[in-house]
């Protein structure tokens, strides 16, 4: 049994999340004029509502990766997953960070679990159905991990086909899901390589902070190597600007630089910096259910539509 979580009251909308007047407005998306006055409530660019599905699978596998920590990988995995599930997609979230933050963020006491993804990687004959768990979000399941996974990283080094361990583990359920999101650890080590080796594409969250572009060259280099050696079809699905603070010029400038560097790869959806996200971790549920009408929830819904349209 999971231990009960501390009670956290439902949030009142923050001022800047209400539909009425906003103190400083939101980033509009698209062209960016850093000198412009703050704009009104964000005007979401038209991205079509995805068509409903009558049957499910085979899954698109998306690795959410950036070797920098604290850029919103885990938060984006949970909330993009939940938004995709709202659009009727069957979603599997893979916690591929030994810290287990994805599992914790979904209210799973990962350290108490008997079986995790570690067992799937290391034990022949381990059953994926015994490890997959439902989440509070209908249509979204979780493949949890905990600190055991750090041992797998060490043990895998000497295995044959060490880069394909995750691909082998999820293969039996590819037909069952529409989207599989892999939350990578903040490193370019063997676990992340495993994710990139079995993914169709990579989604890169990038914080709108001064040093965020540092390290991206190394990430691109790694993607190139994975393409050459392991997965020639690996695509960059897109770059997601996170931790955007519409009140500061600096953060707008950083996003502008990201757009200059990556053009159309940058998603229209921008994730603002708001206390809502740390709150959802305590609540153990996605923002789409915790604060369904918030700007943050809407941004992840837009991201979900963009992902489905790409
Ligand atoms: P990563 O997985 O890249 O290390 P996380 O998603 O865990 O990053 O986010 C790091 C921390 O920042 C967490 O405490 C999370 O709650 C918080 N956070 C994530 N996204 C936002 C956001 N848009 N605004 C404010 N805090 C955020
Ligand atoms: Mg994380």
């Amino acid at each position: 049994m999971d231990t009960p979580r501390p009670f956290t009251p439902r949030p009142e909308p923050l001022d800047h999340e209400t539909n009425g007047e906003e103190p400083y407005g939101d980033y509009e998306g698209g062209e960016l004029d850093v000198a412009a006055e703050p704009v009104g409530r964000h005007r979401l660019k038209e991205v079509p509502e995805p068509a409903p599905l009558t049957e499910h699978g085979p899954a698109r596998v998306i690795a959410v990766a950036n070797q920098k920590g604290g850029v919103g990988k885990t938060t984006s995995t949970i909330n993009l997953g939940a938004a995709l599930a709202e659009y009727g997609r069957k979603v599997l979230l893979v916690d591929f960070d030994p810290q287990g933050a994805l599992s914790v963020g979904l209210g799973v006491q990962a350290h108490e679990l008997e079986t995790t993804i570690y067992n799937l990687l290391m034990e022949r004959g381990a059953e994926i159905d015994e490890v997959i768990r439902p989440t509070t979000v209908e249509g979204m399941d979780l493949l949890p991990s905990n600190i055991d996974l750090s041992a797998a990283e060490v043990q895998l080094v000497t295995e044959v086909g060490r880069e394909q361990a995750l691909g082998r583990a999820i293969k039996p359920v590819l037909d069952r899901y529409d989207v599989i999101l892999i939350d990578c650890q903040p490193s370019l080590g063997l676990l992340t390589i495993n994710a990139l080796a079995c993914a169709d594409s990579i989604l890169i969250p990038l914080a709108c902070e001064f040093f965020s572009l540092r390290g991206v060259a190394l990430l691109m280099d790694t993607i190139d190597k994975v393409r050459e050696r392991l997965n020639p079809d690996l695509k960059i699905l897109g770059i997601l600007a996170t931790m955007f603070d519409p009140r500061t010029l600096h953060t707008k400038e950083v996003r502008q630089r990201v757009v200059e560097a990556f053009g159309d790869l940058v998603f229209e959806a921008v994730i603002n910096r708001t206390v809502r996200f740390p709150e959802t971790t305590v609540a153990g549920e996605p923002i789409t259910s915790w604060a369904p009408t918030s700007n943050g929830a809407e941004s992840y819904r837009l991201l979900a539509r963009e992902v489905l349209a790409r």
Side-chain angles (χ1 to χ4, degrees):
M1 260 316 275
D2 291 349
T3 33
R5 333 202 95 242
F7 174 73
T8 332
R10 285 269 138 198
E12 292 292 315
L14 297 176
D15 276 355
H16 67 278
E17 290 174 344
T18 58
N19 288 311
E21 303 309 306
E22 291 187 30
Y24 48 79
D26 281 308
Y27 172 64
E28 260 201 305
E31 228 175 67
L32 205 112
D33 179 0
V34 290
E37 282 296 298
V39 292
R41 183 163 174 86
H42 59 293
R43 171 181 54 81
L44 299 182
K45 195 185 166 191
E46 289 300 304
V47 180
E49 292 271 322
L53 294 180
T54 48
E55 48 189 49
H56 298 284
R60 289 166 71 178
V61 180
I62 302 171
V64 180
N66 183 335
Q67 76 274 26
K68 201 167 172 346
V71 298
K73 289 183 289 297
T74 301
T75 303
S76 298
T77 305
I78 292 178
N79 295 303
L80 170 60
L84 288 166
E86 278 189 355
Y87 287 123
R89 269 52 187 177
K90 288 227 171 290
V91 178
L92 176 66
L93 304 186
V94 179
D95 189 351
F96 216 42
D97 181 349
Q99 295 298 320
L102 178 74
S103 305
V104 172
L106 287 165
V108 173
Q109 307 297 313
H111 58 278
E112 292 171 3
L113 296 177
E114 297 251 321
T115 54
T116 63
I117 197 159
Y118 169 84
N119 305 81
L120 296 180
L121 297 178
M122 302 312 302
E123 293 164 14
R124 298 175 88 188
E127 277 294 330
I128 191 165
D129 281 315
E130 283 164 20
V131 185
I132 289 179
R133 306 166 56 101
T135 69
T136 55
V137 178
E138 202 192 321
M140 184 166 91
D141 294 339
L142 168 70
L143 206 47
S145 86
N146 59 23
I147 197 71
D148 292 348
L149 184 59
S150 57
E153 183 164 30
V154 178
Q155 290 162 14
L156 275 176
V157 169
T158 56
E159 296 255 330
V160 177
R162 60 189 179 182
E163 291 95 352
Q164 276 89 11
L166 179 60
R168 282 193 299 274
I170 61 172
K171 200 168 172 208
V173 295
L174 288 179
D175 281 344
R176 230 187 279 167
Y177 293 97
D178 300 307
V179 184
I180 297 180
L181 297 175
I182 307 170
D183 182 27
C184 294
Q185 68 173 162
S187 94
L188 295 173
L190 185 52
L191 293 180
T192 300
I193 300 299
N194 260 267
L196 297 180
C198 71
D200 298 295
S201 62
I202 171 173
L203 186 157
I204 306 171
L206 214 55
C208 296
E209 287 159 1
F210 191 66
F211 291 116
S212 66
L213 284 168
R214 279 199 186 171
V216 172
L218 186 62
L219 178 57
M220 294 298 168
D221 215 48
T222 304
I223 293 169
D224 284 341
K225 281 188 186 144
V226 169
R227 279 187 187 132
E228 277 165 30
R229 300 175 194 177
L230 297 164
N231 181 2
D233 298 327
L234 178 65
K235 294 185 183 56
I236 299 177
L237 181 63
I239 295 179
L240 175 66
T242 62
M243 311 287 180
F244 187 85
D245 186 344
R247 289 165 297 190
T248 70
L249 193 60
H250 166 70
T251 180
K252 293 180 184 181
E253 283 171 350
V254 172
R255 186 175 188 272
Q256 190 173 31
R257 284 186 54 199
V258 173
V259 171
E260 277 162 15
F262 298 103
D264 287 347
L265 273 182
V266 183
F267 288 108
E268 227 21 82
V270 173
I271 311 303
N272 283 1
R273 185 185 284 282
T274 150
V275 297
R276 281 290 176 263
F277 290 104
E279 280 177 11
T280 58
T281 310
V282 179
E285 59 177 291
I287 196 158
T288 44
S289 61
W290 173 247
T293 60
S294 65
N295 180 302
E298 278 306 326
S299 301
Y300 276 108
R301 289 187 190 109
L302 172 60
L303 176 65
R305 295 199 297 278
E306 288 187 83
V307 164
L308 293 174
R310 282 192 183 189

